[in-house]
Amino acid sequence: MIFITAKFRVLPEHADRFPEITAAFTAATRAEPGCLWFDWSRSLDDPNEYVLVEAFRDGEAGGAHVQSAHFKQAQQELPPYLAETPRIVNTTIDQDDWSELGEMAVPKG
């Protein structure tokens, strides 16, 4: 899978509304057949920073995502709300879902 984590520093005046601002883009991306997940979180340390964790089935699905109409629309619509260019980590890994964190295993039953 293609695994991506990106950090978005949002202008303070838009930070509380950022989930609403990205809602259509998020819904459209989650509806893509190759999208495994597309999840936003707000930083505990910086209320103006959002972290996006996303995964796509493979390179083809990732390519379809960046070529989609909703991605191209987001490229135009989101930057005015941002304080800086988002930072990204993008890698391909040999798995297709989350693994359990064995070091913090919760007993079953």
Side-chain angles (χ1 to χ4, degrees), residues 10-87:
V10 180
L11 292 168
E13 62 269 26
H14 302 297
D16 287 340
R17 290 188 46 247
F18 200 63
E20 176 187 328
I21 291 165
T22 60
F25 175 53
T26 298
T29 301
R30 288 176 175 168
E32 293 176 25
C35 180
L36 299 176
W37 58 80
F38 194 84
D39 298 323
W40 294 94
S41 297
R42 196 170 192 177
S43 171
L44 297 176
D45 297 323
D46 180 353
N48 299 322
E49 183 175 76
Y50 284 81
V51 178
L52 175 60
V53 179
E54 55 187 303
F56 296 90
R57 181 187 60 242
D58 53 25
E60 184 177 317
H65 171 62
V66 299
Q67 294 302 317
S68 69
H70 55 272
F71 186 88
K72 292 178 188 303
Q73 184 174 354
Q75 285 180 296
Q76 298 301 311
E77 292 180 355
L78 294 184
Y81 298 101
L82 303 178
E84 64 186 28
T85 301
R87 294 164 289 144

Side-chain angles (χ1 to χ4, degrees), residues 1 92-96:
M1 81 171 130
T92 301
I93 55 176
D94 187 25
Q95 62 188 76
D96 59 7

